[in-house]
Amino acid sequence: MDAHTSDIARPVLEGPDIARVLTRIAHEIVERAKGADDVVLLGIPTRGVFLADRLAAKLAEITGRTIPVGSLDITMYRDDLRLRPARALARTDIPADGIDGRLVVLVDDVLFSGRTIRAALDALNDIGRPRAVQLAVLVDRGHRELPIRADYVGKNLPTSLRETVKVQLAEEDGRDAVLLGERREAGVSPADGRAVSPADGRAADTAPAGEQ
């Protein structure tokens, strides 16, 4: 970010905070799943995949077992393909034992309208039949358009529709942070100057990233 942008977007979570909330979420998953024996983590590209990998590592520390982890591309299941810039397809990577009869925990960075998660559920339905599906997100910023809620939330972050939420992770961005900014004009994100969909208030990207 340039100096002008840094005055607009402020961090609400930084590296140590993100590490702590992921540890808490991992413990909550173990408690609710009664040991996480049949848990499969599926991250939603892009940053949801990195978060799922981190959660899998923390779950392994807690349980002493390797937790299956993969990724679930939802690009072709979105209901706004005609309204957004073209996106490159990301990778769907399902663990070797599949998801049938398992507890699948979808992992994403930001929960907003709920449309990304609806698309993820459609994509999951084409792959198999899990025993149950849960959702873990780093940030819930509110403004739901569909009856979807997260089972595990790192931080509830009340926002206005004029504000933007940007998650940065070291694997993709070189740092860990959650930034809260404000759009000063329609179609432009003050967080990084990229185009923003009026419907979602998040920086648009050419790869699936975060919740819409």
Side-chain angles (χ1 to χ4, degrees), residues 170-193:
E171 296 91 334
E172 179 82 4
D173 310 293
R175 64 174 289 197
D176 284 353
V178 176
L179 304 176
L180 180 64
E182 184 173 346
R183 282 183 291 161
R184 291 179 299 169
E185 58 184 85
V188 175
S189 165
D192 57 8

Side-chain angles (χ1 to χ4, degrees), residues 29-78:
I29 290 173
V30 171
E31 181 178 358
R32 290 188 59 174
K34 296 179 171 42
D37 289 347
D38 66 343
V39 167
V40 175
L41 300 177
L42 293 182
I44 298 174
T46 301
R47 289 163 183 82
V49 176
F50 303 135
L51 292 171
D53 287 338
R54 295 190 193 186
L55 277 175
K58 290 184 180 294
L59 286 168
E61 292 176 6
I62 295 168
T63 66
R65 296 187 303 276
T66 299
I67 305 299
V69 60
S71 60
L72 181 68
D73 179 43
I74 53 86
T75 303
M76 300 309 297
Y77 293 85
R78 298 190 61 94

Side-chain angles (χ1 to χ4, degrees), residues 42-139:
L42 293 182
I44 298 174
T46 301
R47 289 163 183 82
V49 176
F50 303 135
L51 292 171
D53 287 338
R54 295 190 193 186
L55 277 175
K58 290 184 180 294
L59 286 168
E61 292 176 6
I62 295 168
T63 66
R65 296 187 303 276
T66 299
I67 305 299
V69 60
S71 60
L72 181 68
D73 179 43
I74 53 86
T75 303
M76 300 309 297
Y77 293 85
R78 298 190 61 94
D79 62 4
D80 59 356
L81 288 177
R82 292 179 297 173
L83 305 177
R84 300 175 63 84
R87 293 170 176 244
L89 294 178
R91 182 179 180 182
T92 289
D93 181 13
I94 303 302
D97 290 338
I99 62 171
D100 290 344
R102 311 292 291 270
L103 170 58
V104 172
V105 179
L106 298 173
V107 183
D108 205 3
D109 55 354
V110 180
L111 178 59
F112 188 19
S113 69
R115 294 184 181 275
T116 289
I117 304 306
R118 182 209 59 78
L121 293 173
D122 287 346
L124 203 60
N125 188 58
D126 282 349
I127 293 169
R129 183 179 175 83
R131 172 175 67 80
V133 181
Q134 295 179 349
L135 172 63
V137 298
L138 183 61
V139 175

